[in-house]
């Protein structure tokens, strides 16, 4: 039996390591290889290490049947997909992807680069659900390889719970010590950084992203450099350092234009729009969003078009032009449904819910939130599920059904803790504080605000810290503790002004009122 080609020894070693760590657990590992003969040689290398069962996928119904028939004590499963994927196979992969994890054994799915193109665009939920991804044999991988960078952002990194994230982290940390190939090192560093990002450990994420950026520059990987700059910007934005984030986005935009990466250009423009929207410069944000939308349409990037339409909707909602926002959300929803982007569909539904809630049509908003929640649960998007539950809580709080709102907030809090989303945890705690404040249970509200404040400080979330301090000041004022209320409000104002939050002016006005009232009493 011929051995695996020397050029792929490192990648096969990565694959074997991931399979070893995944023993006894459900996992979905994807692998592209152009030649069936070469794929079979790789399978033989795997067989020398693990007991395996090879399953040739012929149609969607048979795949679903096989997945449902797996017993937890079975061998590692290797699935080989045909060169061209029929619609029923794509539908089975997309709609029953969770069965690969439910099986309790690792599954390795082999496909050709052209088949991966079909998977990415026609079965996107299956693609996002992967636990690992490996490329074997050759330098040209087609659109699928290019799409890997675009889709492997913090927001598309799917996982079920915090334990799964930590498992993936341990795999990558182990591989980091073994791999010498610099391109592969960049990928591993970015993934570890993304895991820290999802755990709300933004400073740690930045350290890994900076290492990846440094190597990208050393090897002259301009595309990798651009994506590295973009994700560094995202991390700084989550820390509330919006001006610094803008610097990174502008550098990424410059590189994308220099190398003709129009997709990267559109992404950088969207990121710049988000940054200026956070600074309250919404009209400027809209200019960037419109440029991003134009590029998406010119290059036929329908997923990017849907994203640009959603963020344009957010901008107009922020300006109070809610009906116009709804028009953009509906266009985005239509595109997401046409291309089968279920995560995008759920996001658009949630946005529509927010818009109708803003119009006072809360019952209609709840309908949209429930649809978004249903989709999040179907595709295993736990962060999206938590967001939808929080939105439902806000809606019921707006209807005065505060006890029901608390139930939703508690569910959102539980999910955030399970998946290690500390920023989401802080948001849920803040919402619970608001709910109990609305019930007149102000001291209980303060307890939740204190927990939210603690988390915000631990993860460096300046916006969350400022909001928690402000909410706490309102609660303290409510129970007659004006002195402490003023102290907390001053701290909140300092933070909100430092991050250029538009909310700072409201805090400043209220603080002046309290200080004037206090001076009159004295």
């Amino acid at each position: 039996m011929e051995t695996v080609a020397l050029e792929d020894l490192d990648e096969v070693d990565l694959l074997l390591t991931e399979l070893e760590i995944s023993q006894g657990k459900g996992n979905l590992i994807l692998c592209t290889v152009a030649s069936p003969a070469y794929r079979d040689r790789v399978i033989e290398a795997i067989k020398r290490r693990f007991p395996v069962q090879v399953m040739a996928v012929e149609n969607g119904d048979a795949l679903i049947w096989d997945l449902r028939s797996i017993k937890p004590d079975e061998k590692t499963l290797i699935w080989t997909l045909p060169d061209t994927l029929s619609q029923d196979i794509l539908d089975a992969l997309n709609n029953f992807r969770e069965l690969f994890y439910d099986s309790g054994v690792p599954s390795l799915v082999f496909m050709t680069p052209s088949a991966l193109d079909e998977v990415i665009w026609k079965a996107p939920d299956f693609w996002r659900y992967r636990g690992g991804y490996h490329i074997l044999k050759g330098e040209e991988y087609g659109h699928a390889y290019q799409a890997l960078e675009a889709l492997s952002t913090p927001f598309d990194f799917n996982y079920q719970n915090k334990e799964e994230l930590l498992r993936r982290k341990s795999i990558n940390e182990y591989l980091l010590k073994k791999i010498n190939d610099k391109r592969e090192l960049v990928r591993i560093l970015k993934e570890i950084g993304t895991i820290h990002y999802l755990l709300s450990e933004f400073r740690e994420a930045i350290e890994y992203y900076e290492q990846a950026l440094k190597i990208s520059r050393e090897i002259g990987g301009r595309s990798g450099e651009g994506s590295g700059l973009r994700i560094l910007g995202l991390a700084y934005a989550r820390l509330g350092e919006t001006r610094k984030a803008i610097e990174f986005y502008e550098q990424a935009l410059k590189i994308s234009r220099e190398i003709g990466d129009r997709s990267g250009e559109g992404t950088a423009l969207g990121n710049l729009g988000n940054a200026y929207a956070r600074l309250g410069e919404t009209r400027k944000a809209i200019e960037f969003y419109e440029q991003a939308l134009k590029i998406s349409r010119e290059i036929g990037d329908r997923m990017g078009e849907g994203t640009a339409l959603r963020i344009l909707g957010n901008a107009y909602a922020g300006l109070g032009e809610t009906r116009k926002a709804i028009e953009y959300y509906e266009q985005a929803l239509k595109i997401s449904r046409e291309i089968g982007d279920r995560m995008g569909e759920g996001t658009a539904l949630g946005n529509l819910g927010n818009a109708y809630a803003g119009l006072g049509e809360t019952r209609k908003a709840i309908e949209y939130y429930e649809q978004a929640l249903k989709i999040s649960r179907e595709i295993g998007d736990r962060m999206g599920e938590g967001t939808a539950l929080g939105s439902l809580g806000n809606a019921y709080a707006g209807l005065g059904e505060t006890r029901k709102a608390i139930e939703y907030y508690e569910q959102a809090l539980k999910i955030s803790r399970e998946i290690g989303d500390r920023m989401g945890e802080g948001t849920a705690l803040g919402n619970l504080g608001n709910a109990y404040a609305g019930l007149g249970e102000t001291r209980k509200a303060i307890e939740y605000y204190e927990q939210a404040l603690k988390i915000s400080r631990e993860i460096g979330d300046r916006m969350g810290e400022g909001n928690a301090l402000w909410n706490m000041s309102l609660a303290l004022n409510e129970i007659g503790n004006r002195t402490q209320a003023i102290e907390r409000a001053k701290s909140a104002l300092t933070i909100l002004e430092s991050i250029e939050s538009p909310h700072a002016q409201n805090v400043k006005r209220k603080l002046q009122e309290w200080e004037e009232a206090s001076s009159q009493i004295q």
Side-chain angles (χ1 to χ4, degrees), residues 260-320:
D261 176 12
R262 302 216 72 204
S263 177
E265 182 182 356
T267 302
L269 287 165
N271 289 336
L272 279 164
N274 291 338
Y276 282 107
R278 171 167 273 206
L279 292 173
E281 300 182 39
T282 312
R283 292 292 176 192
K284 191 168 185 176
I286 287 172
E287 292 175 14
F288 284 110
Y289 293 151
E290 287 176 341
Q291 292 178 64
L293 178 62
K294 183 173 182 288
I295 288 172
S296 296
R297 286 172 169 167
E298 286 174 354
I299 66 176
D301 176 11
R302 301 216 74 205
M303 189 174 287
E305 182 182 358
T307 300
L309 288 164
R310 285 196 300 273
I311 55 183
L312 269 167
N314 292 342
Y316 282 107
L319 290 172

Side-chain angles (χ1 to χ4, degrees), residues 403 432-450 471-481 485:
R403 292 292 176 191
L432 281 163
N434 294 339
Y436 281 108
L439 290 172
E441 299 183 39
T442 313
R443 295 199 182 277
K444 191 166 187 176
I446 289 171
E447 291 175 12
Y448 280 108
Y449 294 146
E450 285 175 341
N471 287 332
M472 199 180 299
S473 70
L474 292 172
L476 288 165
N477 185 64
E478 186 68 25
I479 60 174
N481 195 337

